[in-house]
Each structure stands twice: as structure tokens, then as C-alpha cells.
Amino acid sequence: MKLTTISILILSICYNLDTSAEEFRPRVTTPLGVIEGGVGLSVNLNPYFKFEGIPYAKPPVGNLRFEEPEDPEPWKGIWKANSLTTCMQYDHFEKDVQNNYRVHGDEDCLYVNVYTHSLSDKANLDVLVFIHGGAFMFGRGASYGPEIIMDRKIVFVNFNYRLGPLGFLSTEDEVIPGNIGLKDQIKALKWVKNNIQYFGGNPDSITIFGLSAGGASVHFHYFTPESKGLFKAGFSQSGCMLNSWVLAENSKEKTEKLAALVGCPTDDSKTILDCLKSKPARQIVQAVKEYQPFLYNPFSPFGAVVDGKWSKNPVLLDHPYKLLKQGKVQDLPWIISYTSHEGLYPAADFYADDQHLIDIDTKWNEIMPFVLHYNETIDQKLKDEVSQTIRDHYLGNNPVNKETYNSLVQLIGDRLFVADIEASARLHSAVTESEVYNYVFSYRGAVSKSNVRTQSNVNIGSSHGDDTIYTMKTQLDTLSTEEDKHMSKILLDLTVSFMNTRKPNITSLWEPVKKSLEETLHQMKIESPTKISMNYPNEVGERSFWHSLPLIENHYLNSIIKDEL
């Protein structure tokens, strides 16, 4: 407490504020009004200003449900930015007392959180905007805190966007065109661009950064014309627009099903919209469970859509694979990465209960199309044959159990993340002059994101999201050992140098992905704080195998296939 008081008093002196530590409340004046925040401390006890819960759009409630976000109204008096919010969601990571996935959060959730070391509009600090993951279904901006990254002199921002059916429902027409959650993201980025200078940030030095669905979202902003000029570089961890779970299939049918589930008529899109606007948000979100036949799988039943086919105001004009092949992406630097054991999301769920592995083993053809997100992208007559081909390739004649669990993790990770992350890195680099950087993270520190899901501390590899937790604060202590602290410093150096120079300057050896599709993949391999080296594989994630399957995705879409990667 003594250090906290001293730190606050230092800030008070620096800004010539005549106030005691207990009363210290930083204030910022923006075009919308005065905002009052507080003070936080980094993990190394460096003080910073925090403003949590600033509106970037009107509350999307009542008649604004399923509608595009609208600018907030200016306010009189002082806005108290001292609370964190969560969008309404059916949460994969929280369960109730009956062990059911929990619905929680609020519809009124479109708020941004800002953390800064300066309140001078002349400070021009580099800005990092974090887009949270959660399969477009759950999570919140505050899922990852500022306490680690704020040991560096930057401005850090995170925010909420609408999730699940409230953010990604679509009737595949102009009535509910879809992508509302992505439009929320665009609105938030515009708020940052227009207001961050009042918090000491440089509006011309904004880097967007995200994990999983947040990583795919970062990639999305390279494709949409609406985000042009809103950022200078992007950093996607474990997610890209070509991943199988990003684009939702059969959205119109899913919307009609949801309408029927909550007691609405399904005659036409306008009738559905009007009725759904009258229903409790919790009832709508609770219906998500009817789209997930095995645990929380498929984990993204609602996601992005190619609204360029029907929307008056589209944000994704065409399929991202087609846009990549045509070079219709912003020419800006990009980092795209993955971990060595990506498949621990969602496979960590299966480890704690042997019955889950038994179910997968004995009902493989029934369950795996949902876990691997191809139930809706394959000719149903071929589904069992393809499912068995996948099993044979990774498991041979072996059963699914604890002994073969690593093979299952590798299979899931290759399919859901790695193969198409490689394809994205190559294709993106080939059509831009800016550099694309790729790394694989295989370091397993004292803790892992898989600990909670597996209910075990056993080391089963570097999980999905294990690199993120060394720069963003979570409930896991990633600074408990000297080696972990060293890894945190390296990943902070990587992120902050990329923000400042558009190059990840942790070693002079890091070579960007080549511009020719014929080259080997140039990637940095981060195995430990003292073992970082370039790697030159021909492919990763068994890409050739996955791309040989008749899944109607990316390079196999009839309207797209001309020449393949």
C-alpha cells in the first residue's frame, strides 16, 4: 500500500494536481465530454492511468439490437470510467452449479478501456489495441489485463464487441446482414483513431493485436475498406481469416432455427427481426446450446459472413481467400503466429474426463465433424469416408485414449489453426510489399492455459494462447520463475519493437516470409528464452493433407478455385 500511495503522489506531482493520493482521479477532456479514470500499477509497480468503461457506441439495446453501432451521445458533467463490462454470452469457460455452460453479461457492453503513461496530447506514444478472442462467442476486452504490457511506455487499449447470435446472426439479406460484431470493432477502432491523442497516444501509430478470434479479427481489418487508415500494422496470434471456424455456413437456416427456438415466427426476415428484438437477450443467447451437440463444439456456430453478397453496407466484400488471391488487402506489415500444441483448444476439454475420449473413439464419425468444423462444408455422402481418412492419417489403427492424446491434439491443431495460418502467411506475403512475419511458439513455462481445462498441471505442450499470457495479464502467474520472466521480456520486446519500427526486433536473424509461394516457409521458432532460431519447413500443420480433402472451403470453393497454393 505504501508503494501504491507513493506512486500516485508522484503522478500527482508530475501533473501539478493539488490532491491527496486517496482523491487522485485523472481526467481527460474529449470531444464527447470529460472522462475521469484512476491509477493502476504494473507487475513491476510502475504507475499508469486507467480509464475503464468509455462508451464508443450507443447501447445496442431495444430497437438497436442487431443494428449497426451508432456513435454515442455527448454527455454533460463527468463520465466515471471506473467499471469493466462484459457482452452477453454463452461462455465456454464458465459453468453453473449444474455444470452447464453459463449465460452472463449485458447487452449494454460497447465500451473501450484505455491505459496510458501520459495525459499530454503531445506525448505521441505508440498505441496497441487488443481485440479479444473467444470464437466470436465469448470473452471480453478485459479478459487480458494491462499489468504486464504497461511496464512499457505505450498506450494500451482493449474493448468489447457483440458476440454469438447478438453479434453475428444473419438472415443473409439486408434485414439482418450479419457481421455486427465486426462492425462494432470498426467503430471501436474509429473511436481510438479520433480520441487516443487525448490519452497521450499517437493516432498515426496504432497497432492492432489479437488472439484466436481476435487474431482472425485483426486479419479481417486488412480486408475491409472500412478499416483503411485506422491502423499501421497488425499482429495475429493463433487465428486468421482462412481458419475453418471463422466464416459461418448456413447462417439463414441457423437464424430461422433460433427464431423458432425462442418462439418467433419464421415467415420472413423482417418478421424474425421484429420478434427477436422483443425477446430477452438471455433467452436468445441461451439457445446457442442447441447448435453444439458435443460439449462446446462446434465452438463457433455463429461467425463472420461474406455480406458483400447482400448488405447495403458490407464489410467483407468477398470470400477472404478470393480477396487474398486478388491482392485486395491493405499493404501493411503483419505478424501471424501459432503455438506447437494449438489443438489444446478445444482438446483440453477432453483430457479431464476419460469418458470424453471414449465418446470420441467410439463415435468418431459422429463427433469429429463438429469438433473439426467441417460438418457444414462437406458433401454429406462423403462425410464418413473423410472422417475415417482423417483418423487413419493421424491415429492409424490406434484407439483414442490418454496414450494417443498428443496425436489427437496435433490433429485438431493442424485442422483448426496451423495449416490455414501457413496458407494465409504465404498468400498474404505474396500479394503485399510489406513484410509478413511468422513464428511458432513451443515454450512451456511454469503454467499453461491448458491447466484449468485439463484440471491438471501435466506438461502436454504449449497451448493455444500460451504466448499471449506473457504479455497480457491473466489469472495465471507467468512471472513466477526467472525463465518465465525472461520469456515475458522477449515477447514484450517483440511486440513493442514491432509497434515502433514495424519489425519484430528480438534478433537480427528473423527473416520475413518470402514473396514467392515456391519458397520454404521462413519462420522464427521460439522454443525457450535462449533457444530462438529460424526454421525453414516446406509446410506445417500437414497442410497438403488437409488441402487434399474435399472440404468446400478456401481453395476448394467452386467459384474460387483456379490455381492452388
Side-chain angles (χ1 to χ4, degrees), residues 469-499:
I469 58 179
Y470 288 94
T471 55
M472 305 289 159
K473 189 74 174 71
T474 66
Q475 294 178 337
L476 296 170
D477 185 359
T478 51
L479 303 173
S480 64
T481 70
E482 289 304 313
E483 190 176 35
D484 281 1
K485 289 177 182 176
H486 191 183
M487 180 53 70
S488 178
K489 179 184 181 302
I490 288 169
L491 292 180
L492 285 171
D493 288 345
L494 187 162
T495 303
V496 174
S497 64
F498 185 63
M499 292 168 62

Side-chain angles (χ1 to χ4, degrees), residues 242 321 324-325 422-432 517 565:
L242 297 192
Y321 183 86
L324 268 179
K325 295 294 287 186
E422 184 203 351
S424 292
R426 288 178 174 276
L427 287 168
H428 197 113
S429 182
V431 297
T432 59
L517 297 176
L565 174 62

Side-chain angles (χ1 to χ4, degrees), residues 309-348:
K309 296 179 180 179
W310 54 73
S311 176
K312 291 180 181 177
N313 185 26
V315 292
L316 189 57
L317 300 179
D318 212 329
H319 193 287
Y321 183 86
K322 186 174 182 180
L323 294 175
L324 268 179
K325 295 294 287 186
Q326 295 174 344
K328 293 181 179 179
V329 293
Q330 290 202 61
D331 193 348
L332 300 170
W334 186 39
I335 299 176
I336 174 70
S337 67
Y338 64 94
T339 66
S340 59
H341 289 72
E342 286 286 357
L344 284 169
Y345 184 78

Side-chain angles (χ1 to χ4, degrees), residues 94-106:
E94 288 196 29
K95 292 188 176 182
D96 61 23
V97 291
Q98 282 84 37
N99 205 35
N100 299 312
Y101 298 113
R102 194 163 77 89
V103 175
H104 65 101
D106 299 293

